[in-house]
């Protein structure tokens, strides 16, 4: 591959396979991969551990605002495998942030404006030199509006719920399909309707609906888009 260091933004709904594609792409291109959802999950975990969020999702915003500057979110990145391990104030929380308890709360934290401002600033620093694949909800619209390639990924809620269900049960979590589907629908709604940086497709994004695509088919489509973006840069 050529040495043009692109910024590649991958946005889309939860559980539509963004991170799998983003990781695979970063590995293939020798780029860094950043999972921005993990950052919001880590902040949510901090809130849960410190009773800043209650069982109904109410956040003590004044307290979070005072503490946000002290919430360190970072990654250990393995270039060989593109595996990112998420750290919260130096502690590995990679598995904990994927649990359903965190998934159920994360939308209440990620909709807060000062939380987003802080995360966006960090994300822009991480991607400032290019050579990066970043996935999230607002990467092509807010974080890198001038990204070289913007992909908007989607799949039906049922397909996404089934994928997450398979993932969690494989890890031994006791969950039901209906519970997961409800979580997927609820997060879609909140992600699309929040006031700050709602999930929406950038005007210049390429839509990839993978409901009926294999991983290989999807990857081939995306690699083609990368080649086109390189040719334009
Ligand atoms: O991609 P994920 O499911 O791990 O994301 C977790 C949550 O964080 C999801 O509900 C939406 C939110 N999020 C966001 O608001 N902005 C991003 N750039 C990434 C994730």
């Amino acid at each position: 591959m050529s040495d043009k260091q692109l910024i590649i933004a991958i946005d889309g709904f939860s559980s539509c396979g963004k991170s799998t594609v983003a990781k695979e792409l970063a590995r293939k291109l020798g780029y860094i991969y950043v999972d921005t959802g993990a950052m919001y999950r880590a902040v949510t975990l901090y809130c849960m551990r410190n009773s800043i969020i209650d069982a109904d999702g109410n956040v003590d915003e004044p307290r979070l605002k005072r503490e946000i500057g002290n919430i360190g979110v970072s990654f250990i990145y393995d270039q060989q495998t593109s595996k990112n391990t998420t750290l919260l104030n130096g502690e590995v929380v990679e598995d904990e942030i994927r649990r359903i308890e965190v998934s159920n709360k994360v939308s209440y934290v990620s909709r807060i404006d000062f939380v987003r401002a802080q995360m966006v600033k960090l994300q822009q620093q991480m991607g400032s030199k290019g050579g990066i694949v970043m996935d999230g909800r607002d990467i092509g619209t807010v974080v890198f509006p001038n990204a070289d390639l913007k992909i908007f990924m989607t799949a039906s809620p049922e397909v996404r719920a089934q994928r997450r269900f398979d993932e969690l049960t494989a890890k031994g979590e006791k969950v039901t399909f209906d519970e997961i589907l409800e979580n997927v629908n609820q997060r879609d709604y909140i992600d699309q309707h929040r006031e700050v940086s709602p999930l929406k497709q950038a005007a210049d994004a390429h839509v990839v609906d993978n409901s009926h695509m294999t991983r290989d088919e999807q990857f081939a489509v995306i690699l083609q888009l990368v080649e086109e973006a390189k040719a334009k840069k």
Side-chain angles (χ1 to χ4, degrees):
M1 295 260 169
S2 84
D3 54 3
K4 287 174 187 163
Q5 297 286 297
L6 306 183
I7 294 180
I8 302 177
I10 303 187
D11 289 303
F13 292 97
S14 65
S15 305
C16 65
K18 293 187 300 293
S19 62
T20 307
V21 168
K23 245 183 259 175
E24 213 170 327
L25 195 56
R27 192 164 53 232
K28 172 114 186 158
L29 301 172
Y31 284 11
I32 287 173
Y33 161 61
V34 175
D35 170 359
T36 61
M39 300 169 75
Y40 291 99
R41 286 171 179 271
V43 176
T44 304
L45 180 63
Y46 177 93
C47 292
M48 291 166 71
R49 284 179 171 180
N50 294 283
S51 309
I52 294 176
I53 188 167
D54 70 14
D56 298 326
N58 299 303
V59 178
D60 181 345
E61 291 195 26
R63 209 184 129 197
L64 182 55
K65 195 168 196 167
R66 284 197 302 277
E67 297 187 24
I68 189 81
N70 300 326
I71 306 177
V73 181
S74 55
F75 296 105
I76 300 173
Y77 185 66
D78 180 345
Q79 184 79 60
Q80 296 266 293
T81 59
S82 297
K83 187 173 160 38
N84 254 334
T85 303
T86 311
L87 306 182
L88 172 60
N89 288 331
E91 177 194 341
V92 173
V93 291
E94 184 56 37
D95 289 340
E96 209 172 339
I97 59 168
R98 309 288 164 194
R99 300 188 58 148
I100 185 103
E101 292 83 355
V102 177
S103 300
N104 285 338
K105 296 267 166 63
V106 63
S107 294
Y108 299 109
V109 174
S110 64
R111 70 180 176 196
I112 300 171
D113 56 356
F114 60 83
V115 172
R116 300 202 71 83
Q118 179 80 6
M119 295 304 120
V120 167
K121 196 169 80 186
L122 279 174
Q123 291 152 10
Q124 288 173 336
Q125 284 165 2
M126 292 175 187
S128 61
K129 295 195 184 76
I132 193 156
V133 182
M134 193 172 278
D135 79 18
R137 303 293 188 285
D138 58 341
I139 311 306
T141 50
V142 176
V143 182
F144 293 116
N146 298 321
D148 301 292
L149 173 60
K150 299 180 188 179
I151 295 169
F152 190 88
M153 278 179 57
T154 182
S156 74
E158 289 73 18
V159 167
R160 290 184 284 131
Q162 187 64 50
R163 290 178 188 156
R164 184 147 282 199
F165 176 77
D166 293 345
E167 224 173 82
L168 290 172
T169 48
K171 283 189 200 158
E173 282 212 40
K174 299 255 176 298
V175 288
T176 64
F177 175 79
D178 288 348
E179 178 187 5
I180 303 289
L181 182 60
E182 195 185 317
N183 176 253
V184 165
N185 282 325
Q186 188 193 18
R187 282 206 288 157
D188 283 1
Y189 186 86
I190 300 179
D191 287 349
Q192 288 176 291
H193 291 88
R194 67 176 175 228
E195 271 175 39
V196 194
S197 306
L199 169 65
K200 65 172 196 282
Q201 195 187 312
D204 50 351
H206 300 267
V207 179
V208 176
D209 181 337
N210 65 21
S211 302
H212 305 291
M213 278 186 197
T214 64
R215 256 169 79 167
D216 287 351
E217 284 165 351
Q218 169 177 263
F219 201 59
V221 168
I222 289 175
L223 274 184
Q224 179 62 36
L225 293 172
V226 170
E227 287 310 321
E228 288 167 18
K230 281 189 170 173
K232 274 196 214 141
K233 192 163 168 87

